[in-house]
Tab-separated table of all heavy atoms in Angstrom:
chain	number	residue	atom	x	y	z
V	1	PHE	N	31.134	3.953	-63.608
V	1	PHE	CA	31.862	2.674	-63.690
V	1	PHE	C	30.909	1.535	-63.315
V	1	PHE	O	30.799	0.484	-63.943
V	1	PHE	CB	33.040	2.676	-62.733
V	1	PHE	CG	34.137	3.662	-63.054
V	1	PHE	CD1	35.104	3.960	-62.119
V	1	PHE	CD2	34.264	4.166	-64.321
V	1	PHE	CE1	36.110	4.868	-62.412
V	1	PHE	CE2	35.294	5.091	-64.654
V	1	PHE	CZ	36.202	5.426	-63.665
V	2	HIS	N	30.168	1.779	-62.177
V	2	HIS	CA	29.205	0.696	-61.737
V	2	HIS	C	28.122	0.424	-62.753
V	2	HIS	O	27.773	-0.726	-62.952
V	2	HIS	CB	28.635	1.137	-60.396
V	2	HIS	CG	29.583	1.517	-59.386
V	2	HIS	ND1	29.232	2.302	-58.261
V	2	HIS	CD2	30.929	1.224	-59.209
V	2	HIS	CE1	30.374	2.460	-57.528
V	2	HIS	NE2	31.377	1.860	-58.115
V	3	ASP	N	27.649	1.432	-63.357
V	3	ASP	CA	26.647	1.255	-64.464
V	3	ASP	C	27.233	0.471	-65.644
V	3	ASP	O	26.559	-0.380	-66.149
V	3	ASP	CB	26.119	2.628	-64.920
V	3	ASP	CG	25.093	2.493	-66.015
V	3	ASP	OD1	24.010	2.004	-65.703
V	3	ASP	OD2	25.394	2.801	-67.220
V	4	PHE	N	28.501	0.714	-65.973
V	4	PHE	CA	29.174	-0.067	-66.999
V	4	PHE	C	29.256	-1.522	-66.595
V	4	PHE	O	28.930	-2.433	-67.463
V	4	PHE	CB	30.563	0.516	-67.242
V	4	PHE	CG	31.489	-0.466	-68.031
V	4	PHE	CD1	31.352	-0.564	-69.375
V	4	PHE	CD2	32.400	-1.270	-67.333
V	4	PHE	CE1	32.130	-1.456	-70.094
V	4	PHE	CE2	33.209	-2.095	-68.045
V	4	PHE	CZ	33.073	-2.232	-69.481
V	5	PHE	N	29.588	-1.815	-65.362
V	5	PHE	CA	29.635	-3.197	-64.885
V	5	PHE	C	28.274	-3.904	-65.063
V	5	PHE	O	28.180	-5.021	-65.560
V	5	PHE	CB	30.005	-3.295	-63.428
V	5	PHE	CG	31.407	-2.705	-63.164
V	5	PHE	CD1	31.662	-2.213	-61.878
V	5	PHE	CD2	32.427	-2.667	-64.093
V	5	PHE	CE1	32.949	-1.722	-61.525
V	5	PHE	CE2	33.693	-2.190	-63.822
V	5	PHE	CZ	33.902	-1.635	-62.527
V	6	ARG	N	27.246	-3.225	-64.553
V	6	ARG	CA	25.857	-3.772	-64.633
V	6	ARG	C	25.323	-3.984	-66.009
V	6	ARG	O	24.689	-4.974	-66.333
V	6	ARG	CB	24.906	-2.998	-63.809
V	6	ARG	CG	25.179	-2.940	-62.289
V	6	ARG	CD	24.081	-2.276	-61.511
V	6	ARG	NE	23.896	-0.936	-61.904
V	6	ARG	CZ	24.498	0.161	-61.264
V	6	ARG	NH1	25.274	-0.130	-60.266
V	6	ARG	NH2	24.283	1.344	-61.635
V	7	ARG	N	25.651	-2.966	-66.854
V	7	ARG	CA	25.110	-2.943	-68.237
V	7	ARG	C	25.754	-3.955	-69.156
V	7	ARG	O	25.139	-4.638	-69.936
V	7	ARG	CB	25.097	-1.555	-68.779
V	7	ARG	CG	24.491	-1.365	-70.108
V	7	ARG	CD	24.496	0.043	-70.533
V	7	ARG	NE	23.922	0.228	-71.844
V	7	ARG	CZ	23.870	1.420	-72.533
V	7	ARG	NH1	24.381	2.489	-71.957
V	7	ARG	NH2	23.291	1.534	-73.668
V	8	TYR	N	27.135	-3.951	-69.097
V	8	TYR	CA	27.886	-4.768	-70.101
V	8	TYR	C	28.341	-6.147	-69.528
V	8	TYR	O	28.707	-6.963	-70.306
V	8	TYR	CB	29.049	-3.931	-70.564
V	8	TYR	CG	28.515	-2.778	-71.437
V	8	TYR	CD1	28.412	-1.546	-70.925
V	8	TYR	CD2	28.178	-2.967	-72.801
V	8	TYR	CE1	27.961	-0.496	-71.663
V	8	TYR	CE2	27.749	-1.912	-73.586
V	8	TYR	CZ	27.609	-0.677	-73.011
V	8	TYR	OH	27.155	0.384	-73.751
V	9	LYS	N	28.361	-6.245	-68.198
V	9	LYS	CA	28.720	-7.495	-67.537
V	9	LYS	C	29.976	-8.105	-68.101
V	9	LYS	O	30.013	-9.297	-68.540
V	9	LYS	CB	27.538	-8.451	-67.602
V	9	LYS	CG	26.253	-8.039	-66.970
V	9	LYS	CD	25.163	-9.074	-67.117
V	9	LYS	CE	23.887	-8.643	-66.392
V	9	LYS	NZ	23.336	-7.343	-66.832
V	10	PRO	N	31.075	-7.410	-68.136
V	10	PRO	CA	32.309	-8.047	-68.674
V	10	PRO	C	32.757	-9.193	-67.752
V	10	PRO	O	32.660	-9.127	-66.548
V	10	PRO	CB	33.330	-6.908	-68.581
V	10	PRO	CG	32.813	-6.013	-67.479
V	10	PRO	CD	31.348	-6.046	-67.590
V	11	PRO	N	33.091	-10.322	-68.360
V	11	PRO	CA	33.719	-11.367	-67.514
V	11	PRO	C	34.866	-10.794	-66.723
V	11	PRO	O	35.759	-10.167	-67.254
V	11	PRO	CB	34.204	-12.390	-68.581
V	11	PRO	CG	33.344	-12.191	-69.822
V	11	PRO	CD	33.117	-10.700	-69.843
V	12	THR	N	34.870	-11.060	-65.419
V	12	THR	CA	35.756	-10.367	-64.485
V	12	THR	C	36.471	-11.313	-63.603
V	12	THR	O	35.905	-12.182	-62.980
V	12	THR	CB	34.965	-9.309	-63.665
V	12	THR	OG1	34.377	-8.454	-64.576
V	12	THR	CG2	35.881	-8.570	-62.708
V	13	LEU	N	37.831	-11.126	-63.549
V	13	LEU	CA	38.655	-11.836	-62.584
V	13	LEU	C	39.266	-10.807	-61.618
V	13	LEU	O	39.817	-9.782	-62.133
V	13	LEU	CB	39.822	-12.536	-63.340
V	13	LEU	CG	40.962	-13.088	-62.476
V	13	LEU	CD1	40.427	-14.238	-61.578
V	13	LEU	CD2	42.134	-13.542	-63.345
V	14	ILE	N	39.126	-11.056	-60.323
V	14	ILE	CA	39.714	-10.090	-59.342
V	14	ILE	C	40.734	-10.860	-58.576
V	14	ILE	O	40.456	-11.912	-57.968
V	14	ILE	CB	38.605	-9.552	-58.405
V	14	ILE	CG1	37.446	-8.858	-59.187
V	14	ILE	CG2	39.239	-8.557	-57.347
V	14	ILE	CD1	36.301	-8.499	-58.361
V	15	VAL	N	42.007	-10.364	-58.548
V	15	VAL	CA	43.030	-10.887	-57.705
V	15	VAL	C	43.578	-9.806	-56.751
V	15	VAL	O	43.854	-8.679	-57.262
V	15	VAL	CB	44.193	-11.530	-58.516
V	15	VAL	CG1	43.758	-12.820	-59.188
V	15	VAL	CG2	44.730	-10.583	-59.571
V	16	TRP	N	43.553	-9.983	-55.515
V	16	TRP	CA	43.716	-8.879	-54.537
V	16	TRP	C	44.677	-9.213	-53.447
V	16	TRP	O	44.486	-10.194	-52.707
V	16	TRP	CB	42.353	-8.558	-53.984
V	16	TRP	CG	42.205	-7.092	-53.435
V	16	TRP	CD1	42.611	-6.581	-52.284
V	16	TRP	CD2	41.640	-6.048	-54.195
V	16	TRP	NE1	42.280	-5.243	-52.224
V	16	TRP	CE2	41.701	-4.857	-53.398
V	16	TRP	CE3	41.086	-5.964	-55.478
V	16	TRP	CZ2	41.237	-3.634	-53.802
V	16	TRP	CZ3	40.578	-4.692	-55.830
V	16	TRP	CH2	40.681	-3.541	-55.049
V	17	GLY	N	45.725	-8.436	-53.300
V	17	GLY	CA	46.634	-8.567	-52.183
V	17	GLY	C	45.951	-8.111	-50.935
V	17	GLY	O	45.661	-6.934	-50.800
V	18	ARG	N	45.634	-9.026	-50.071
V	18	ARG	CA	44.725	-8.700	-48.922
V	18	ARG	C	45.350	-7.768	-47.879
V	18	ARG	O	44.687	-7.219	-47.052
V	18	ARG	CB	44.195	-10.019	-48.288
V	18	ARG	CG	45.221	-10.813	-47.578
V	18	ARG	CD	44.623	-12.073	-46.942
V	18	ARG	NE	43.504	-11.756	-46.146
V	18	ARG	CZ	42.179	-12.015	-46.390
V	18	ARG	NH1	41.869	-12.736	-47.451
V	18	ARG	NH2	41.241	-11.691	-45.580
V	19	HIS	N	46.689	-7.619	-47.915
V	19	HIS	CA	47.363	-6.758	-46.971
V	19	HIS	C	47.614	-5.357	-47.481
V	19	HIS	O	48.418	-4.606	-46.906
V	19	HIS	CB	48.644	-7.394	-46.487
V	19	HIS	CG	48.486	-8.772	-45.890
V	19	HIS	ND1	47.698	-8.954	-44.744
V	19	HIS	CD2	48.920	-9.999	-46.339
V	19	HIS	CE1	47.760	-10.313	-44.465
V	19	HIS	NE2	48.469	-10.902	-45.439
V	20	ASP	N	47.057	-5.024	-48.586
V	20	ASP	CA	47.254	-3.703	-49.180
V	20	ASP	C	46.773	-2.644	-48.220
V	20	ASP	O	45.630	-2.598	-47.826
V	20	ASP	CB	46.407	-3.616	-50.497
V	20	ASP	CG	46.693	-2.367	-51.345
V	20	ASP	OD1	47.145	-1.376	-50.761
V	20	ASP	OD2	46.477	-2.425	-52.575
V	21	PRO	N	47.664	-1.703	-47.825
V	21	PRO	CA	47.298	-0.660	-46.856
V	21	PRO	C	46.538	0.522	-47.521
V	21	PRO	O	46.080	1.409	-46.833
V	21	PRO	CB	48.610	-0.209	-46.244
V	21	PRO	CG	49.631	-0.448	-47.355
V	21	PRO	CD	49.150	-1.693	-48.120
V	22	PHE	N	46.507	0.487	-48.844
V	22	PHE	CA	45.877	1.606	-49.576
V	22	PHE	C	44.524	1.285	-50.132
V	22	PHE	O	43.535	2.090	-49.969
V	22	PHE	CB	46.820	2.082	-50.684
V	22	PHE	CG	48.285	2.201	-50.298
V	22	PHE	CD1	49.150	1.273	-50.685
V	22	PHE	CD2	48.644	3.315	-49.505
V	22	PHE	CE1	50.557	1.417	-50.276
V	22	PHE	CE2	49.958	3.423	-49.059
V	22	PHE	CZ	50.905	2.470	-49.457
V	23	PHE	N	44.415	0.114	-50.748
V	23	PHE	CA	43.122	-0.325	-51.317
V	23	PHE	C	42.706	-1.624	-50.547
V	23	PHE	O	43.357	-2.665	-50.688
V	23	PHE	CB	43.268	-0.649	-52.809
V	23	PHE	CG	43.535	0.573	-53.594
V	23	PHE	CD1	44.530	0.536	-54.629
V	23	PHE	CD2	42.847	1.766	-53.438
V	23	PHE	CE1	44.780	1.690	-55.387
V	23	PHE	CE2	43.066	2.889	-54.214
V	23	PHE	CZ	44.079	2.841	-55.181
V	24	THR	N	41.646	-1.523	-49.777
V	24	THR	CA	41.336	-2.557	-48.861
V	24	THR	C	40.515	-3.716	-49.512
V	24	THR	O	40.030	-3.545	-50.580
V	24	THR	CB	40.475	-2.040	-47.698
V	24	THR	OG1	39.184	-1.622	-48.233
V	24	THR	CG2	41.148	-0.784	-47.043
V	25	VAL	N	40.386	-4.786	-48.748
V	25	VAL	CA	39.611	-5.909	-49.293
V	25	VAL	C	38.143	-5.575	-49.407
V	25	VAL	O	37.449	-6.156	-50.216
V	25	VAL	CB	39.805	-7.123	-48.354
V	25	VAL	CG1	41.140	-7.674	-48.370
V	25	VAL	CG2	39.327	-6.819	-46.913
V	26	GLN	N	37.686	-4.529	-48.708
V	26	GLN	CA	36.291	-4.068	-48.858
V	26	GLN	C	36.103	-3.599	-50.330
V	26	GLN	O	35.009	-3.681	-50.881
V	26	GLN	CB	35.928	-2.954	-47.886
V	26	GLN	CG	35.691	-3.498	-46.471
V	26	GLN	CD	37.026	-3.789	-45.730
V	26	GLN	OE1	38.088	-3.335	-46.141
V	26	GLN	NE2	36.968	-4.498	-44.596
V	27	GLY	N	37.144	-3.022	-50.865
V	27	GLY	CA	37.096	-2.563	-52.257
V	27	GLY	C	36.956	-3.730	-53.239
V	27	GLY	O	36.318	-3.616	-54.257
């Protein structure tokens, strides 16, 4: 997945609920 990001550079929007107890803001 990381190689895909670096190679193809898709325009990316990230919206993140910061209080998510499962997937953290570090992710």
Side-chain angles (χ1 to χ4, degrees):
F1 296 162
H2 306 161
D3 181 69
F4 165 78
F5 299 152
R6 292 189 298 267
R7 183 175 180 184
Y8 291 96
K9 299 178 176 62
T12 300
L13 169 67
I14 303 168
V15 289
W16 206 275
R18 65 179 308 113
H19 303 296
D20 189 334
F22 312 107
F23 295 135
T24 69
V25 294
Q26 287 78 15

